[in-house]
Amino acid sequence: MSLDLLIRKCKKNDTNAQSEIYKLFSSKLFAVCLKYSRNHVDAEDNLQDAFVTIFEKMSQYGYKGSFEGWLKRIAVNTVLQKYRRKGVFNIVNEDDIEDIVVEVEDYDIDINFLLQSIQELPYRYRLVFNLYALDEYSHKEIAKMLDITTGTTKSNLARARMILKDKIENYYAKLNSQSL
């Protein structure tokens, strides 16, 4: 069955079509939820919440842009709305923030180590880091999505970068000491 036909059937609340959409996209959307959730269990809950929203809003999908992109946007927004309500962000004065550039020596970084390090960041820092560095949202867009100031996004990004820099430097210092 084609994706267009599945979408049309989902718009008519066809549960078999909904099941097929879930099977086709659940693993990709789980990865999105995991990237923005605090942990694996929260990601599973957020995935289910995202699919509830997807099926409720299916009639709003207008075939503009990719369907997968539309699904991912709903998944991200589902996670962000949940944490925005919980108030996980520290609000800071924008005047106190300057753009901090964090430079790391030219390491050949192990991707698994890097992904693990990002996942271990405090949640609010990881969320802003992922939105800015991985998904290329601007500080203004992130601030709007999270209902915080751009100063807070800049602060959280700077702190995330500092934590990652320290982790990377410690990792390579440990590797170098072991090789001696």
Side-chain angles (χ1 to χ4, degrees):
M1 189 176 316
S2 75
L3 182 58
D4 284 344
L5 182 57
L6 283 174
I7 294 169
R8 280 184 283 177
K9 287 186 173 197
C10 280
K11 287 183 175 190
K12 295 178 181 176
N13 294 319
D14 181 313
T15 56
N16 291 328
Q18 289 173 339
S19 178
E20 285 301 311
I21 292 288
Y22 183 88
K23 287 176 190 172
L24 284 171
F25 294 101
S26 62
S27 62
K28 288 180 182 180
L29 293 183
F30 179 73
V32 170
C33 289
L34 187 60
K35 185 164 74 169
Y36 293 105
S37 298
R38 291 178 188 239
N39 55 50
H40 197 274
V41 173
D42 280 358
E44 289 173 343
D45 289 344
N46 290 330
L47 176 67
Q48 295 308 313
D49 292 344
F51 268 105
V52 167
T53 303
I54 286 165
F55 294 133
E56 286 174 351
K57 295 185 178 218
M58 188 65 79
S59 64
Q60 296 176 13
Y61 177 65
Y63 299 92
K64 293 179 182 166
S66 78
F67 181 66
E68 186 175 329
W70 184 77
L71 296 175
K72 287 180 179 180
R73 173 73 86 188
I74 289 176
V76 168
N77 286 334
T78 298
V79 176
L80 297 182
Q81 285 175 359
K82 179 185 248 181
Y83 294 121
R84 191 175 16 210
R85 284 191 300 266
K86 290 183 177 182
V88 298
F89 298 98
N90 295 329
I91 306 301
V92 297
N93 183 345
E94 261 182 83
D95 298 334
D96 297 338
I97 302 301
E98 54 188 76
D99 286 330
I100 299 171
V101 177
V102 176
E103 293 185 22
V104 177
E105 290 184 36
D106 191 20
Y107 295 118
D108 184 19
I109 300 174
D110 175 62
I111 189 68
N112 292 323
F113 169 75
L114 183 58
L115 292 174
Q116 178 184 346
S117 296
I118 292 169
Q119 196 67 22
E120 291 171 353
L121 286 170
Y123 179 71
R124 64 183 176 267
Y125 301 160
R126 178 168 42 103
L127 185 59
V128 172
F129 181 85
N130 284 338
L131 288 167
Y132 186 85
L134 302 180
D135 292 332
E136 300 179 346
Y137 286 99
S138 70
H139 285 292
K140 185 176 180 179
E141 291 170 318
I142 295 167
K144 184 176 180 183
M145 291 168 79
L146 301 178
D147 196 25
I148 57 178
T149 67
T150 56
T152 301
T153 69
K154 289 176 182 180
S155 170
N156 288 341
L157 179 63
R159 290 183 178 129
R161 286 176 171 167
M162 292 299 290
I163 291 168
L164 289 173
K165 178 184 182 227
D166 289 344
K167 284 181 178 258
I168 291 167
E169 288 176 345
N170 290 336
Y171 177 79
Y172 282 98
K174 187 176 179 180
L175 280 180
N176 288 336
S177 69
Q178 291 174 353
S179 66
L180 295 176

